[in-house]
Amino acid sequence: MIRVHTVAPGSLGAALGLAPKTELLAINGTPLEDFLDWEFLSADEHFMLHVRSPGGEEIEYDVQRPEGWPMGITLEPPRIRRCGNHCDFCFVDGNPENLRRPLYIRDDDYRLSFRYGNFATLTNLKPWDLDRIVAYRLSPLYVSVHATDPVVRRWVLRNPEAPAIVPQLAGLAGQGIRFHTQVVLVPGVNDGAVLEQTLDDLYGLGPAILSVSVVPVALTEFSKHDVVRQPTGAECRAALAAVAGTAGRAVAERGRPWCYGADDLYLQAGEPLPPAEWYGDFEQRENGVGAVRYLETRIAEARDGFKALGGRRIAVVTGAAMGPLMPQVLEGLARASGASFELIVLENRLFGPMVTTAGLLPGAAFHEALRARSDLELALLPAEAVNDDRMFIDDMSVDALAADLPMEMRLSYEFADALAGSGDGAVRSPHGVGG
Ligand code: SF4
């Protein structure tokens, strides 16, 4: 069942009289199961829409959509497809107790893979799902492959029923579906010869595989350390060698690297990152692949917008993963803006020091680091550390944090968004300064 969440004033939805909590039942007689059905079936200019109003009345609308007039409705969040795997490195097992309930949900949802780029394993697909992927052309999908050897993959996923991934990808590829793929590197399980085979098999699937990334497994203090460990520097270097071998072949034969190591893999290997050009369109930057080079590129592009910052004292607060990589980024920013930047690297005391990504830093950590820093005029915090409701992972709100800091605070994905003054509504100025 899908229900209306909001209706924009002046939209077609408002003109029809749709209201929050209206159930959207069917279009042209086809029952609506989820947001995909709604989006694809309501894309026509003319359709019959069957709804149940919040008061229980069933209504059929003959919808004629004039060109360019949006429906203007958002839907209540979909019921997330649960994961049937039990990976040793699962982030849910790595969570401390007493976080928000959604953080304990193991999701594995091809719909969210298509919509938001979440990685899915495709192990929980029913024939009906496969039909929908093809019918709605849900492409590209983001797929966690981990290993193409079915036995190893089942071991990694701890799922004896996981279907073989190569035939699954090949079948969908034959129907025009494309994939970005990843291998989470688990030392002693899917590295070495298994990794080489996986990269070979994916390469052999041809252009349907748009990219593959190799990402070192990330663990927290609470993970199952008796059964899984992080790769050593030497293991990361070996994985990078496998990546380089495949990427070299791809450059020679297909004109682009295709196979990438995550920034973290380079960091843990103690090797320098490739140049920005290596990453092409930075297609897996959200997965931490080329993220640093992408930042540098965005800063260089936006440098003219930084001029008003001259002389300001600005803190950039981030997690330990980005700590070693940030000085080179901030040097470029200081040159472009004339401002002085201080890098503040926070240890994650909620998940433990092994968790180094900025996105999992709790609000309390920012508060503790910044509350007494009245010498600073502006603090940039990683926007990925807050959710859509503007809450940090420890349920501190952005507004509550901003109200208790002595400097202006802005959330930023890539500096250029916050520093060039354009912002995206994420700018917070507790004392009415700037913004
Ligand atoms: S696929 Fe593995 S890591 Fe992802 S949610 Fe499922 S069990 Fe957790």
Side-chain angles (χ1 to χ4, degrees):
M1 179 187 63
I2 52 176
R3 288 202 305 193
V4 174
H5 182 47
T6 62
V7 183
S11 65
L12 182 54
L16 289 173
L18 300 180
K21 299 207 180 308
T22 299
E23 286 177 44
L24 304 171
L25 301 175
I27 287 181
N28 296 333
T30 303
L32 302 175
E33 297 287 340
D34 61 17
F35 68 92
L36 285 178
D37 289 333
W38 166 252
E39 286 173 12
F40 283 87
L41 297 175
S42 69
D44 289 344
E45 285 173 13
H46 179 210
F47 56 91
M48 299 301 293
L49 172 62
H50 183 192
V51 309
R52 185 180 294 120
S53 73
E57 185 189 0
E58 293 206 13
I59 308 169
E60 187 113 45
Y61 295 103
D62 185 350
V63 181
Q64 305 267 1
R65 188 209 294 251
E67 206 183 318
W69 199 12
M71 282 303 292
I73 68 169
T74 61
L75 305 178
E76 292 184 352
R79 215 172 47 201
I80 303 295
R81 191 70 77 86
R82 300 302 163 100
C83 176
N85 309 310
H86 302 88
C87 309
D88 291 336
F89 53 81
C90 183
F91 63 95
V92 170
D93 298 324
N95 280 341
E97 289 176 1
N98 300 322
L99 297 179
R100 285 189 297 277
R101 279 183 60 192
L103 294 168
Y104 299 100
I105 295 174
R106 294 174 207 261
D107 69 292
D108 192 9
D109 196 322
Y110 68 95
R111 304 168 309 168
L112 304 187
S113 174
F114 168 68
R115 167 54 55 80
Y116 302 114
N118 295 8
F119 278 88
T121 65
L122 310 186
T123 51
N124 55 0
L125 297 188
K126 306 275 184 293
W128 181 72
D129 298 315
L130 291 164
D131 291 346
R132 293 180 98 209
I133 289 171
V134 174
Y136 290 157
R137 305 212 74 70
L138 304 185
S139 177
L141 292 175
Y142 291 75
V143 179
S144 286
V145 171
H146 302 329
T148 49
D149 179 315
V151 176
V152 177
R153 187 165 193 256
R154 284 176 195 138
W155 178 269
V156 173
L157 297 172
R158 298 283 181 186
N159 180 352
E161 304 197 337
I165 189 72
V166 169
Q168 205 174 24
L169 294 176
L172 287 166
Q175 309 271 351
I177 307 301
R178 301 283 179 262
F179 308 93
H180 290 288
T181 59
Q182 72 162 351
V183 172
V184 171
L185 190 76
V186 185
V189 179
N190 63 348
D191 55 355
V194 176
L195 177 62
E196 304 261 5
Q197 184 66 51
T198 298
L199 298 180
D200 252 21
D201 289 342
L202 290 175
Y203 192 77
L205 285 169
I209 307 297
L210 300 171
S211 68
V212 57
S213 62
V214 179
V215 183
V217 67
L219 304 175
T220 80
E221 202 167 294
F222 307 96
S223 299
K224 300 174 176 173
H225 294 282
D226 49 334
V227 286
V228 62
R229 63 172 175 84
Q230 285 185 214
T232 62
E235 286 165 337
C236 290
R237 284 190 287 281
L240 279 178
V243 167
T246 306
R249 181 179 167 200
V251 167
E253 294 174 4
R254 298 181 182 171
R256 64 188 194 92
W258 179 81
C259 178
Y260 304 93
D263 292 3
D264 244 358
L265 193 62
Y266 287 92
L267 194 68
Q268 292 181 35
E271 293 201 1
L273 296 167
E277 304 74 59
W278 182 253
Y279 297 100
D281 294 333
F282 297 98
E283 288 165 313
Q284 288 211 31
R285 69 173 188 276
E286 303 276 334
N287 198 26
V289 181
V292 170
R293 295 304 188 209
Y294 177 76
L295 270 185
E296 292 173 339
T297 305
R298 292 287 294 120
I299 289 167
E301 285 167 1
R303 59 193 315 134
D304 287 349
F306 299 153
K307 289 185 181 134
L309 295 169
R312 295 191 83 183
R313 283 162 297 148
I314 302 172
V316 171
V317 193
T318 188
M322 289 297 279
L325 301 168
M326 285 306 291
Q328 55 188 321
V329 176
L330 296 185
E331 262 170 45
L333 261 180
R335 268 198 309 277
S337 65
S340 65
F341 287 87
E342 178 183 341
L343 176 64
I344 299 178
V345 177
L346 299 182
E347 185 181 290
N348 197 321
R349 299 216 185 122
L350 183 63
F351 289 88
M354 295 177 81
V355 172
T356 56
T357 174
L360 289 175
L361 284 169
F366 296 108
H367 183 249
E368 190 183 328
L370 295 171
R371 70 184 165 190
R373 294 298 308 272
S374 48
D375 57 313
L376 295 167
E377 293 167 75
L378 172 63
L380 298 185
L381 273 55
E384 58 271 30
V386 304
N387 67 7
D388 290 347
D389 297 324
R390 302 176 60 76
M391 306 289 281
F392 291 95
I393 199 153
D394 57 352
D395 278 348
M396 182 183 286
S397 76
V398 168
D399 293 341
L401 174 62
D404 210 24
L405 293 182
M407 78 289 289
E408 180 187 353
M409 180 193 111
R410 299 183 187 179
L411 299 174
S412 166
Y413 283 107
E414 52 189 39
F415 303 114
D417 52 351
L419 289 178
S422 57
D424 59 352
V427 177
R428 277 294 170 271
S429 174
H431 309 300
V433 181

